[in-house]
Amino acid sequence: VTGKSNIKVSPDYTRISIDMSDVLTEYDMCLAKSVEDMNIIVECIKNFGFERKELKTTGFEIIRKTEGYRDKYDDWKHRFIGYQYNQNLSFVFKNDNKRLGKILYALAHLEVVPEISISYFCSDAENIKNKLLGLAVKDAKEKASLLTNEAGVKLCEILDIDYSWINVTFETD
């Protein structure tokens, strides 16, 4: 018998994720631009009480960028465009829609144009998981009782519990 459970909780934290990207012809210029753009973001969020260490880099890469084209003989060729940096940053704060609105407004008016995404999550995920497990066990027990009663047999001791998580989401975009 498989027990199922569902619980709805209000998230208490907001995560803002920022993705930045640019293409420059020289590698060192590309690296310098990534640092410059990150510093612009850092200065922006400092205005909202965040420290530099609260802005986490979740991904960074510099890749060689090319484009495809057809030459005068209609053969497919590639030409070098430059180097592209991709940087992913994020920071977290307690839910506060007023603060969120001000941060988004400030980020939208910077000289860099980052892609921004927002997600919400609960800080006490372990407590939520334990509540879900308790509800799932209760559901399984009720189903097992129903099945045994209808089958005309007696429910005895538990022989096996398969503790696996399927389709568990603790963060919402």
Side-chain angles (χ1 to χ4, degrees):
V1 177
T2 300
K4 294 184 179 183
S5 63
N6 188 7
I7 188 170
K8 293 187 184 219
V9 294
S10 295
D12 55 347
Y13 277 87
T14 301
R15 175 177 287 111
I16 295 181
S17 299
I18 299 169
D19 298 332
M20 297 184 298
S21 180
D22 204 350
V23 178
L24 291 100
T25 55
E26 300 295 325
Y27 187 90
D28 58 342
M29 290 170 44
C30 187
L31 185 58
K33 179 75 163 95
S34 72
V35 171
E36 178 185 320
D37 290 352
M38 184 183 64
N39 287 336
I40 291 169
I41 300 294
V42 168
E43 289 307 310
C44 176
I45 69 165
K46 277 184 177 179
N47 294 328
F48 297 95
F50 294 98
E51 294 181 30
R52 165 63 186 99
K53 66 182 179 184
E54 292 178 273
L55 183 65
K56 306 293 183 190
T57 298
T58 56
F60 180 80
E61 68 178 352
I62 295 180
I63 58 172
R64 191 172 188 275
K65 191 85 171 153
T66 60
E67 69 179 356
Y69 71 97
R70 295 206 179 267
D71 68 9
K72 65 182 180 181
Y73 304 107
D74 204 32
D75 291 328
W76 192 251
K77 304 277 183 173
H78 289 272
R79 77 176 121 229
F80 175 73
I81 298 173
Y83 295 95
Q84 176 179 332
Y85 86 85
N86 299 305
Q87 187 163 14
N88 316 103
L89 308 165
S90 71
F91 59 100
V92 172
F93 57 96
K94 278 191 161 281
N95 279 355
D96 180 341
N97 286 337
K98 198 176 225 181
R99 187 179 189 197
L100 173 62
K102 289 177 182 179
I103 293 169
L104 292 176
Y105 182 84
L107 289 170
H109 289 86
L110 294 175
E111 57 198 75
V112 295
V113 183
E115 290 183 31
I116 301 167
S117 60
I118 303 164
S119 58
Y120 302 94
F121 64 97
C122 294
S123 59
D124 193 7
E126 195 62 34
N127 187 34
I128 295 166
K129 286 179 189 177
N130 290 339
K131 285 181 183 177
L132 282 168
L133 279 173
L135 291 170
V137 168
K138 183 179 177 184
D139 181 58
K141 187 176 178 183
E142 288 172 1
K143 288 177 182 174
S145 292
L146 177 68
L147 290 170
T148 55
N149 286 342
E150 292 300 316
V153 294
K154 183 179 176 190
L155 182 61
C156 295
E157 66 185 53
I158 296 172
L159 298 178
D160 183 42
I161 293 179
D162 179 11
Y163 174 66
S164 60
W165 286 99
I166 301 172
N167 299 328
V168 179
T169 304
F170 289 105
E171 189 162 330
T172 303
D173 294 338

